[in-house]
Amino acid sequence: MKLELKDDLNTRMLIVDDNQSIHDDFKKTLVSSVDTKNLDVKDLENLLFEEEDKEIRANHLDLSSLRYDIEDAYQGEEAIEMVQSHESEASPYALIFMDVRMPPGMNGIKAISKIWEINPHIEIVICSAYSDYSWDEIVRKLGNTDRLLFLKKPFTPVEVKQMVYSLIIKWNLNHQNRHLIENLEHEVKARTRQLEDLYIELEVANRVLEEKNRILEEVAQRDGLTGLFNHVALNERLRSTISEASRYHFPLSVVMVDIDYFKQFNDYYGHQLGDEIIKKVAALLQINLRQYDIKLRCTETRRQNAESGEEPSEASNDAESEAVEHQIDESGVAGRYGGDEFILILPYCGYSETETILHRLQDNIRAIRIEGYPDLKVTASLGAGVLNTPANCKNCDDIIKLADEALYNVKNSGRDQLCILEFGDECAQSR
């Protein structure tokens, strides 16, 4: 990015010397620089701008157009106070000519050090007729910097004019550059804050979208009337459960629940009552899907005991008995298979656990009451397929077919009963 000098250049400078004649010499030389007929000035311009490149010339001001704002200080302490005062007024010096010897006050080297503590960007020229300090000594005291030049007394007008012009231009270019960098930093920070805000908004929007997608996915898996898993979701859950059972060697059972004579409820009482019955049964199934943590721990304990050859402890037997009372694992799944048919997927449930669960479910369904219909009785036929060795079942349709066969046996036997078939059985074992 190209820097171009502005018209309102800062030409403020400070002459620091205890000799009034030095102040007068500086002012005479610099004030005369505005005379466009001065040959020294024209020579200086030719020296500075030998290039004929018009673009470069256009980026520099005519030396004769500059008007220097010159102020005076006669001691180092006074110069420091003036620098501090102009800093507080936001009108800094661009250039200071500093004498070295200014008795009885501090010397110029110390004054420069104090001034740079106030404003490290001021261009400074050391003016002295003596070699009080070597270059190495000055560097040790002030540091190696491009903001420090030397002017040997007595000086010539051309030296001063060239030095003042160059250093004023240098200070203004550096000031513009610092201002540009500060603006860029502010802009970068502002853009960064905008990006951070956008990132936060995007994160919030993504979380909202994820939640909506989760809800949509959940809705897509649920039956609209009951809130239970639908047919498609049930098949997916059953496949994954069979896969887990095969991997970790635990039994599972699939239970089909069919409301007895449901069509007659619809025909006699109307579909609204039929929907109410379906929702009552669905709610009952959800309530009965209780925590099964104790049973899972018992199952794991039995497996570990079997592997180690240890006899089960009394505590583990008590825990197993308590687990049976909890009925169904919370990882079990209840769903509406279609119409008035429901399915339960019960991990870790063999024949005896399934039998206990079905008796309890049957009793709970018989206890259903519909407000306004005190004489209405609800019963259900329950058919279960038990998979003791999941590795032998390659297709989830096979275990569903087995549960459906058990349900068919119940319906042929008069309904309001239960039947349990174990996978691989040639005949039904009903209760």
Side-chain angles (χ1 to χ4, degrees), residues 49-256:
F49 306 117
E50 290 181 354
E51 297 290 339
E52 295 297 330
D53 191 324
K54 293 182 179 180
E55 182 177 357
I56 296 179
R57 284 178 175 274
N59 197 34
H60 291 78
L61 295 178
D62 186 352
L63 179 60
S64 64
S65 67
L66 292 179
R67 299 293 188 274
Y68 299 114
D69 183 4
I70 304 173
E71 298 180 12
D72 303 292
Y74 297 90
Q75 290 292 316
E77 293 86 352
E78 181 185 5
I80 294 169
E81 291 178 1
M82 293 177 70
V83 169
Q84 184 68 63
S85 175
H86 281 291
E87 285 295 318
S88 62
E89 297 172 1
S91 56
Y93 290 107
L95 173 62
I96 294 177
F97 283 91
M98 179 70 70
D99 189 16
V100 176
R101 290 183 176 182
M102 293 177 288
M106 70 172 59
N107 63 52
I109 303 302
K110 187 173 182 180
I112 292 171
S113 178
K114 296 291 185 181
I115 287 171
W116 273 346
E117 289 178 5
I118 299 171
N119 184 338
H121 305 297
I122 298 176
E123 301 288 336
I124 295 182
V125 178
I126 294 178
C127 304
S128 178
Y130 307 98
S131 299
D132 298 317
Y133 294 92
S134 68
W135 171 253
D136 290 337
E137 289 175 318
I138 293 174
V139 167
R140 280 197 300 271
K141 291 180 178 295
L142 299 178
N144 195 356
T145 173
D146 64 347
R147 288 171 286 113
L148 185 66
L149 292 178
F150 292 89
L151 182 63
K152 187 77 172 178
K153 293 179 181 179
F155 52 78
T156 64
V158 172
E159 284 182 301
V160 173
K161 292 172 185 177
Q162 180 181 359
M163 186 172 288
V164 169
Y165 182 83
S166 298
L167 293 178
I168 288 292
I169 298 300
K170 177 187 174 186
W171 185 94
N172 280 274
L173 285 173
N174 287 337
H175 178 73
Q176 292 181 35
N177 185 51
R178 289 193 300 273
H179 184 67
L180 177 62
I181 291 174
E182 289 175 0
N183 288 341
L184 287 174
E185 288 176 347
H186 289 314
E187 185 175 349
V188 168
K189 289 179 180 179
R191 293 292 179 88
T192 301
R193 284 194 296 270
Q194 290 177 356
L195 288 175
E196 289 173 348
D197 292 342
L198 287 174
Y199 180 75
I200 292 173
E201 291 177 8
L202 182 60
E203 279 192 325
V204 172
N206 282 337
R207 286 196 294 269
V208 171
L209 182 60
E210 288 174 358
E211 179 63 17
K212 288 183 177 179
N213 287 337
R214 186 195 65 77
I215 293 173
L216 287 174
E217 183 178 353
E218 183 74 12
V219 169
Q221 292 182 337
R222 297 289 177 171
D223 172 63
L225 179 62
T226 64
L228 299 180
F229 284 104
N230 59 27
H231 190 112
V232 175
L234 281 170
N235 285 332
E236 291 177 357
R237 290 300 184 97
L238 182 56
R239 276 193 290 269
S240 63
T241 304
I242 291 176
S243 175
E244 290 293 303
S246 298
R247 182 182 305 172
Y248 297 108
H249 310 290
F250 61 81
L252 66 91
S253 64
V254 174
V255 180
M256 297 197 74

Side-chain angles (χ1 to χ4, degrees), residues 241-300:
T241 304
I242 291 176
S243 175
E244 290 293 303
S246 298
R247 182 182 305 172
Y248 297 108
H249 310 290
F250 61 81
L252 66 91
S253 64
V254 174
V255 180
M256 297 197 74
V257 180
D258 184 86
I259 301 174
D260 294 331
Y261 307 108
F262 182 74
K263 186 176 183 303
Q264 295 180 16
F265 288 128
N266 278 335
D267 293 343
Y268 188 79
Y269 295 103
H271 285 82
Q272 286 187 336
L273 181 70
D275 289 348
E276 184 68 19
I277 292 173
I278 286 177
K279 288 191 285 186
K280 289 276 188 180
V281 173
L284 177 64
L285 295 179
Q286 286 179 312
I287 291 172
N288 278 272
L289 286 176
R290 300 185 181 178
Q291 293 182 351
Y292 198 51
D293 291 338
I294 298 175
K295 182 173 181 60
L296 291 179
R297 287 198 295 270
C298 290
T299 303
E300 180 64 16

Side-chain angles (χ1 to χ4, degrees), residues 364-415:
N364 289 337
I365 291 172
R366 287 169 181 161
I368 289 176
R369 294 294 179 265
I370 306 295
E371 186 177 355
Y373 300 88
D375 298 329
L376 189 147
K377 297 186 184 302
V378 180
T379 61
S381 298
L382 310 177
V386 177
L387 191 58
N388 292 308
T389 310
N392 295 334
C393 182
K394 305 300 181 184
N395 192 327
C396 65
D397 291 339
D398 292 339
I399 188 65
I400 292 179
K401 183 179 179 180
L402 185 64
D404 194 38
E405 183 181 345
L407 180 62
Y408 180 80
N409 292 339
V410 171
K411 289 183 177 181
N412 281 342
S413 301
R415 304 177 188 265

